[in-house]
Amino acid sequence: MSEVFEGYERQYCELSANLSRKCNSASAITDSEQKKQKFSEINSGIDEADVLIRKMDLEARSLQPGVKASLLAKLREYKADLNKLKKEFKRISSPNAHDELLESGIADIHSVSAEQRDRLSMSVERLNQSSERIKESRRTVLETEELGISILEDLHQQRQTLLHAHNKLYDVDSAIDKSKKVLTTMSRRITKNKWIVILIIVALVLAIILILYYKISHG
């Protein structure tokens, strides 16, 4: 569900419950100035509720079809609730409201109070449902945040492992380079010694040939 819609919904439920209480209390006010002020507050609240209904309608229609259908169905309930509030306000604010109340008797007063209590109870229930959805959304956000932190920690550990492996590879490369240098030096020495041996052998052969030649020539 859209978080924007839930925000408007929460505001409307709170406002609807507040308007129900004000309508109920306005009926018992006898002072004309106080009643006028109360009616002004109720009228402003109804205008505000109308604005919230329009905002919820626009938000719901901007969502995907599956979500939009359920939100529009819920919105129809809120519109019906607001119409009841408007009718109730019109009834208590009409010039003949006091006479009508007297004529309707105590039974009608109890009926109106029961209807207002039901509407208030419905608004509170919807508000509680919205609060639960918000809590669930916050819980999901916190779980996602914890998962993200865990992933970042794992990535950090993997990075440290890779850096450690890289350092080891660098040390191995250095050892290989040193070994190559040692082997190259040894190879050069072996080659040099081999040529020295060859020269010694050649010298000995020449010496033997000279000795044999000398013996033969003087024999």
Side-chain angles (χ1 to χ4, degrees):
M1 183 181 291
S2 168
E3 293 184 2
V4 176
F5 186 92
E6 287 183 352
Y8 293 148
E9 182 183 27
R10 185 173 65 256
Q11 293 178 44
Y12 175 79
C13 290
E14 292 175 352
L15 182 60
S16 176
N18 189 31
L19 288 173
S20 296
R21 287 191 295 268
K22 287 183 177 180
C23 286
N24 193 26
S25 63
S27 301
I29 296 176
T30 57
D31 185 78
S32 60
E33 289 298 325
Q34 291 182 0
K35 180 171 288 190
K36 184 178 180 181
Q37 182 179 356
K38 183 67 68 174
F39 286 165
S40 177
E41 292 175 2
I42 295 173
N43 190 47
S44 297
I46 289 175
D47 290 340
E48 186 178 350
D50 269 324
V51 172
L52 289 172
I53 289 291
R54 287 196 295 271
K55 287 182 177 180
M56 282 192 283
D57 186 70
L58 290 174
E59 177 65 20
R61 294 181 187 280
S62 67
L63 300 175
Q64 297 179 353
V67 180
K68 178 172 68 175
S70 62
L71 294 184
L72 288 178
K74 183 181 293 186
L75 188 59
R76 283 193 291 271
E77 296 179 6
Y78 292 147
K79 288 180 178 179
D81 176 71
L82 182 58
N83 286 331
K84 288 181 180 179
L85 283 172
K86 289 179 178 179
K87 289 179 181 178
E88 176 65 16
F89 175 63
K90 184 177 181 181
R91 187 185 67 81
I92 64 175
S93 61
S94 64
N96 298 325
H98 182 68
D99 295 336
E100 291 175 359
L101 285 173
L102 291 176
E103 291 174 1
S104 61
I106 298 175
D108 185 60
I109 292 176
H110 288 318
S111 175
V112 172
S113 298
E115 181 181 353
Q116 290 177 345
R117 284 197 299 270
D118 291 340
R119 186 163 59 245
L120 178 60
S121 176
M122 185 182 301
S123 299
V124 171
E125 182 180 356
R126 289 171 180 168
L127 181 60
N128 290 335
Q129 291 175 354
S130 299
S131 298
E132 288 299 323
R133 284 195 294 270
I134 291 172
K135 288 180 181 178
E136 185 65 27
S137 299
R138 288 178 178 174
R139 190 180 302 114
T140 303
V141 170
L142 289 175
E143 290 175 355
T144 304
E145 184 179 355
E146 291 176 356
L147 178 61
I149 292 173
S150 176
I151 292 173
L152 287 176
E153 289 177 351
D154 291 339
L155 290 174
H156 178 70
Q157 292 177 356
Q158 292 176 8
R159 180 176 179 273
Q160 294 298 324
T161 302
L162 290 173
L163 289 174
H164 184 64
H166 176 74
N167 291 334
K168 283 188 174 181
L169 287 174
Y170 179 78
D171 294 339
V172 171
D173 287 341
S174 299
I176 291 174
D177 289 339
K178 291 179 180 178
S179 300
K180 285 182 179 179
K181 290 178 181 180
V182 172
L183 290 173
T184 301
T185 303
M186 291 176 63
S187 176
R188 288 175 181 174
R189 288 179 180 177
I190 291 172
T191 302
K192 182 179 179 181
N193 291 336
K194 182 172 68 175
W195 282 107
I196 291 172
V197 171
I198 291 173
L199 290 174
I200 292 172
I201 292 172
V202 170
L204 289 173
V205 169
L206 289 175
I208 292 170
I209 292 173
L210 288 173
I211 292 170
L212 291 174
Y213 175 77
Y214 180 78
K215 286 183 177 183
I216 292 171
S217 64
H218 291 80

